[in-house]
Amino acid sequence: MNAPDPPIPDATLNAWNRELYWWWDLYNWQYLREALRRPVICLAETHTRLGSWDPARRTIAIARNHIARDSWSAVMETLRHEMAHQYADEVLRASDERPHAAAFREACARLRVQHQPAPDAPPPGDADRGVRGTILK
């Protein structure tokens, strides 16, 4: 049985959230020519998904444990993956398509991210590789 994750200080969560917004803004400008409207970005307490896009709430969620355990570059892949869902939904108007169909693949090409769906559960990470201990340094 796995031990529960230790609590993450609010200051760390706030710093992660600011970083995610900063990178979302950069990717929207750099790859999408500011085609997207800024969504809500939240940190989710989930162990089943790395990230998700909720079109009804216009929310990108990134798993807290993904940020804590995995490399920042892996988290950025997840962010761009979810931005691709947002782009396919809001710009390409592909809400009738399956989640990883043609419009999504086009969005992935624009965002320079793999179009394969992320695994359902985050792989076990090495805490030393994660950003939890380094983002506030």
Side-chain angles (χ1 to χ4, degrees), residues 88-130:
D89 184 54
E90 294 185 345
V91 176
L92 301 177
R93 306 276 189 220
S95 57
D96 293 347
E97 282 190 9
R98 291 184 336 271
H100 295 98
F104 175 76
R105 288 192 300 275
E106 177 184 334
C108 286
R110 289 179 181 269
L111 283 154
R112 279 81 165 169
V113 67
Q114 295 293 316
H115 67 269
Q116 290 87 4
D120 286 339
D126 177 353
D128 293 336
R129 290 185 310 137

Side-chain angles (χ1 to χ4, degrees), residues 1-129:
M1 184 173 202
N2 293 337
D5 292 332
I8 300 169
D10 287 342
T12 301
L13 295 173
N14 291 337
W16 289 349
N17 213 4
R18 282 191 307 273
E19 285 292 309
L20 288 169
Y21 276 111
W22 191 91
W23 284 100
W24 185 97
D25 288 338
L26 177 68
Y27 294 144
N28 187 38
W29 173 79
Q30 184 175 27
Y31 298 134
L32 304 176
R33 297 186 173 142
E34 297 182 322
L36 295 175
R37 285 186 314 123
R38 199 185 225 207
V40 171
I41 298 176
C42 68
L43 304 175
E45 288 195 51
T46 179
H47 292 272
T48 59
R49 306 199 77 138
L50 298 175
S52 64
W53 161 246
D54 181 344
R57 292 187 173 93
R58 295 198 70 260
T59 300
I60 290 176
I62 304 292
R64 290 179 183 190
N65 66 342
H66 179 33
I67 299 173
R69 293 181 179 167
D70 298 318
S71 69
W72 191 246
S73 63
V75 174
M76 293 299 92
E77 280 280 311
T78 302
L79 177 63
R80 289 195 321 276
H81 180 99
E82 300 313 328
M83 288 177 73
H85 283 293
Q86 181 186 4
Y87 188 87
D89 184 54
E90 294 185 345
V91 176
L92 301 177
R93 306 276 189 220
S95 57
D96 293 347
E97 282 190 9
R98 291 184 336 271
H100 295 98
F104 175 76
R105 288 192 300 275
E106 177 184 334
C108 286
R110 289 179 181 269
L111 283 154
R112 279 81 165 169
V113 67
Q114 295 293 316
H115 67 269
Q116 290 87 4
D120 286 339
D126 177 353
D128 293 336
R129 290 185 310 137

